Amino acid sequence: MTVWEKVGTVTKTGYARNDCGYTLNLKIVWSHGTDGSCHTVRPGHTISSKVPRGIRGFDGANRC
């Protein structure tokens, strides 16, 4: 799994790509608030979660 974040002027978006050879259930993890929704992610596909800029920090992704 590869994770990254892009920060804009108003929001920030966390991404997770499934680099495994099998399907995973993943969610984007944010500090100081609610995590992203749980998604079934096939190999090679990417999920994302967008939040307002500010106190929230990008903590990567976890299985769910």
Side-chain angles (χ1 to χ4, degrees):
M1 173 176 28
T2 302
V3 297
W4 68 97
E5 175 187 27
K6 289 186 181 178
V7 178
T9 56
V10 177
T11 62
K12 54 178 97 174
T13 307
Y15 297 89
R17 182 179 62 235
N18 180 0
D19 294 329
C20 300
Y22 49 89
T23 300
L24 295 172
N25 290 324
L26 299 174
K27 67 178 179 178
I28 303 296
V29 179
W30 297 101
S31 61
H32 307 291
T34 305
D35 294 338
S37 300
C38 186
H39 296 276
T40 300
V41 187
R42 294 180 298 191
H45 288 129
T46 301
I47 62 167
S48 65
S49 174
K50 185 180 289 192
V51 298
R53 282 189 62 174
I55 194 168
R56 309 274 310 266
F58 177 63
D59 287 341
N62 280 337
R63 288 181 161 193
C64 52

